[in-house]
């Protein structure tokens, strides 16, 4: 990588830290199965003067979703999961689905399938204030947060079964909406595998891939490596964020009852790079086979129907992409709002963690930060643009 590219990325990050966009950041670029670039800047814990380091542990939030989708593919390969199966075959709470239409609740005409979960075409949302079902989801999330640190803490399957009783935003398969589908998928994986979701991930992904710092909580001996999350306040300043958003412990101090497939995992940049490299290698890493190449092609391709696609393109920043298996997939680079390559895939997280794989170029971009309400922010796109402008030289 050219020195001027490295310098420009460092300048962008310095500007972001100065302006309160982020407290600290870690970037890793891999090309042709080798490290091309690594850089950290800023703080993992500003108040304790602790810099971001190579082994800093980050809360992934929605970057947990591609891992959940991969777990589903493992079960599919094992013959334990059929994506056309009804969700109600695993979770009885989905046996009597209802849909909210024009302010009224009706019986759903279509069943919800596992594939609907994986493609976010289930009708499940993260809640809103504009519909009765949306308000019910928000109220239930608040109730679950209130129980998190008690002996009534809601389990993964209990959470999912209750979500199944709340009216959907639309008929399954009729449209697209980002929501709690991956959390329900985690519960389906529990039932299909006969294991706790976290145990299944540990046995089938994290341990084989050597992802030693990835899981649903952070043991005491690793707590000093967990990055603090921040939120913006006035005048471009930030302060620590201590909320338990989406029923995720902000301190991650103990194993949760609810292991969220949509938002619950923590990881380091090196751990997640091993997961990303495994996918880029066609399911294999260091001689360990996780998935077959055919299954990885299936996992990292796919798409939506025209009506689903129309709804998905209303999501800010995703023009030119389709969606499948809890990941965005770039199909029309000329329509995207940043430089990209056809066939690239990945996802991001609510606190700013970001991942993109480029199969043709055999490249991975990973960006880790912890800033409330981030996702793919302008700083992330700017860094991508600087990197991809030089891609031909990498």
């Amino acid at each position: 990588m050219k020195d001027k590219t490295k310098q420009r990325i460092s300048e962008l990050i310095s500007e972001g830290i100065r302006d309160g966009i982020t407290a600290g950041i870690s970037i890793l670029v891999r090309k042709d199965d080798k490290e091309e670039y690594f850089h950290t800047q800023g703080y993992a814990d500003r108040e304790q003067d602790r810099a971001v380091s190579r082994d800093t542990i980050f809360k992934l939030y929605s970057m947990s979703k591609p891992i959940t989708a991969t777990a589903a593919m493992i079960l599919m390969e094992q013959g334990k999961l059929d994506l056309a199966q009804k969700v109600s075959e695993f979770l009885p709470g989905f046996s009597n689905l209802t849909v909210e239409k024009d302010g009224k609740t009706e019986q759903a005409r279509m069943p919800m399938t596992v594939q609907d979960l994986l493609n976010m075409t289930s009708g499940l949302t993260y809640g809103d204030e504009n519909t009765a079902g949306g308000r019910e989801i928000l109220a239930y999330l608040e109730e679950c947060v209130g129980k998190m640190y008690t002996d009534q803490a809601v389990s993964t399957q209990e959470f999912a079964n209750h979500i199944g009783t709340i009216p959907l935003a639309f008929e399954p398969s009729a449209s697209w909406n980002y929501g709690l589908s991956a959390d329900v998928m985690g519960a389906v994986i529990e039932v299909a595998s006969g294991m706790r979701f976290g145990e299944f991930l540990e046995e089938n992904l994290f341990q084989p891939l050597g992802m030693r710092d990835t899981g649903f909580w952070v043991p005491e001996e690793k707590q000093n490596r967990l990055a603090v999350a921040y939120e913006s306040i006035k005048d471009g300043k930030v302060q620590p964020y201590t909320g338990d958003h989406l029923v995720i412990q902000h301190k991650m101090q103990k194993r949760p009852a609810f292991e969220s497939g949509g938002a619950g995992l923590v990881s380091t940049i090196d751990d997640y790079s091993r997961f990303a490299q495994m996918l880029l290698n066609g399911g294999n890493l260091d001689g360990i086979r996780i998935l077959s190449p055919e299954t990885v092609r299936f996992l990292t391709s796919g798409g939506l129907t025209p009506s689903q696609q129309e709804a998905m393109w209303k999501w800010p920043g995703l023009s030119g992409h389709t969606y499948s298996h809890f990941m965005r997939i770039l199909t029309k680079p000329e329509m995207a709002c940043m430089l990209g390559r056809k066939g690239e895939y990945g996802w991001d997280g609510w606190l700013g963690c970001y991942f993109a794989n480029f199969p043709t170029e055999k490249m991975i971009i990973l960006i880790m930060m912890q800033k409330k309400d981030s996702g793919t922010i302008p700083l992330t796109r700017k860094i991508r643009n600087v990197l991809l402008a030089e891609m031909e030289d990498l």
Side-chain angles (χ1 to χ4, degrees), residues 182-370:
D183 298 284
V184 174
M185 190 71 241
V188 169
I189 289 167
E190 284 199 345
V191 177
S193 67
M195 302 171 65
R196 277 196 66 159
F197 184 36
E199 292 171 351
F200 181 84
L201 293 179
E202 180 64 29
E203 183 174 309
N204 292 275
L205 270 173
F206 303 154
Q207 194 279 328
L209 291 177
M211 298 170 67
R212 298 179 181 86
D213 295 317
T214 304
F216 287 109
W217 62 294
V218 180
E220 183 178 356
E221 65 271 17
K222 298 182 181 182
Q223 277 285 320
N224 63 345
R225 292 164 48 201
L226 179 65
V228 173
Y230 288 89
E231 62 181 337
S232 295
I233 53 178
K234 61 182 181 180
D235 301 325
K237 297 179 180 178
V238 296
Q239 67 181 12
Y241 171 73
T242 58
D244 297 319
H245 184 58
L246 295 180
V247 204
I248 310 302
Q249 308 169 40
H250 76 276
K251 290 187 177 180
M252 311 296 287
Q253 287 179 312
K254 65 175 184 177
R255 183 174 189 171
F258 169 49
E259 296 179 327
S260 167
L265 290 170
V266 298
S267 192
T268 62
I269 200 164
D270 281 326
D271 266 18
Y272 208 94
S273 75
R274 293 186 67 77
F275 168 72
Q277 190 69 60
M278 177 274 294
L279 294 181
L280 207 56
N281 292 352
N284 178 75
L285 185 71
D286 297 338
I288 303 296
R289 173 68 62 188
I290 302 297
L291 292 171
S292 72
E294 180 65 26
T295 302
V296 172
R297 283 191 290 271
F298 177 75
L299 169 65
T300 58
S301 60
L304 301 171
T305 67
S307 62
Q308 294 165 352
Q309 189 71 63
E310 183 179 357
M312 181 255 181
W313 274 354
K314 294 177 182 177
W315 187 271
L318 285 182
S319 55
H321 295 78
T322 191
Y323 189 91
S324 181
H325 306 130
F326 299 146
M327 289 185 283
R328 65 178 182 275
I329 304 164
L330 186 56
T331 56
K332 299 179 181 295
E334 69 278 8
M335 293 180 60
C337 61
M338 57 187 169
L339 295 179
R341 295 294 187 274
K342 188 172 183 179
E344 68 163 91
Y345 60 87
W347 199 239
D348 58 31
W350 181 69
L351 290 179
C353 292
Y354 179 90
F355 135 71
N357 266 5
F358 300 79
T360 301
E361 294 75 17
K362 298 180 180 178
M363 188 170 81
I364 300 165
I365 296 177
L366 277 169
I367 301 173
M368 299 293 214
M369 66 177 87
Q370 299 284 259

Side-chain angles (χ1 to χ4, degrees), residues 42-280:
Y43 294 99
D45 186 338
R46 189 190 57 181
E47 288 66 32
Q48 297 297 320
D49 196 31
R50 177 163 56 90
V52 175
S53 62
R54 186 114 198 185
D55 66 351
T56 295
I57 297 172
F58 296 87
K59 291 185 276 288
L60 296 177
Y61 269 86
S62 288
M63 228 163 76
S64 305
K65 289 179 171 72
I67 291 176
T68 299
T70 300
M73 296 299 104
I74 292 171
L75 286 172
M76 185 180 74
E77 279 197 348
Q78 293 175 351
K80 295 180 179 179
L81 185 65
D82 169 18
L83 305 192
Q85 281 183 274
K86 299 175 184 177
V87 177
S88 60
E89 293 179 31
F90 302 93
L91 301 169
F94 287 79
S95 297
N96 189 32
L97 292 177
T98 58
V99 182
E100 188 171 345
K101 298 178 181 179
D102 300 320
K104 298 180 180 179
T105 301
E106 303 177 1
Q107 290 296 124
R109 296 191 300 271
M110 298 294 293
M112 184 189 300
T113 67
V114 174
Q115 188 173 38
D116 285 323
L117 295 177
L118 288 165
N119 289 350
M120 292 284 180
T121 57
S122 62
L124 297 170
T125 74
Y126 273 122
D128 59 76
E129 295 289 357
N130 301 319
T131 63
R135 290 189 291 273
E136 193 172 338
I137 286 176
L138 292 178
Y140 184 60
L141 289 171
E142 186 176 348
E143 177 187 335
C144 291
V145 169
K147 293 179 177 179
M148 282 176 63
Y149 303 104
T150 73
D151 56 5
Q152 282 94 39
V154 175
S155 71
T156 306
Q157 290 184 48
E158 183 182 354
F159 179 90
N161 276 307
H162 184 90
I163 291 298
T165 68
I166 297 174
L168 302 172
F170 52 80
E171 289 278 350
S173 298
S175 187
W176 184 94
N177 198 300
Y178 195 62
L180 292 164
S181 293
D183 298 284
V184 174
M185 190 71 241
V188 169
I189 289 167
E190 284 199 345
V191 177
S193 67
M195 302 171 65
R196 277 196 66 159
F197 184 36
E199 292 171 351
F200 181 84
L201 293 179
E202 180 64 29
E203 183 174 309
N204 292 275
L205 270 173
F206 303 154
Q207 194 279 328
L209 291 177
M211 298 170 67
R212 298 179 181 86
D213 295 317
T214 304
F216 287 109
W217 62 294
V218 180
E220 183 178 356
E221 65 271 17
K222 298 182 181 182
Q223 277 285 320
N224 63 345
R225 292 164 48 201
L226 179 65
V228 173
Y230 288 89
E231 62 181 337
S232 295
I233 53 178
K234 61 182 181 180
D235 301 325
K237 297 179 180 178
V238 296
Q239 67 181 12
Y241 171 73
T242 58
D244 297 319
H245 184 58
L246 295 180
V247 204
I248 310 302
Q249 308 169 40
H250 76 276
K251 290 187 177 180
M252 311 296 287
Q253 287 179 312
K254 65 175 184 177
R255 183 174 189 171
F258 169 49
E259 296 179 327
S260 167
L265 290 170
V266 298
S267 192
T268 62
I269 200 164
D270 281 326
D271 266 18
Y272 208 94
S273 75
R274 293 186 67 77
F275 168 72
Q277 190 69 60
M278 177 274 294
L279 294 181
L280 207 56

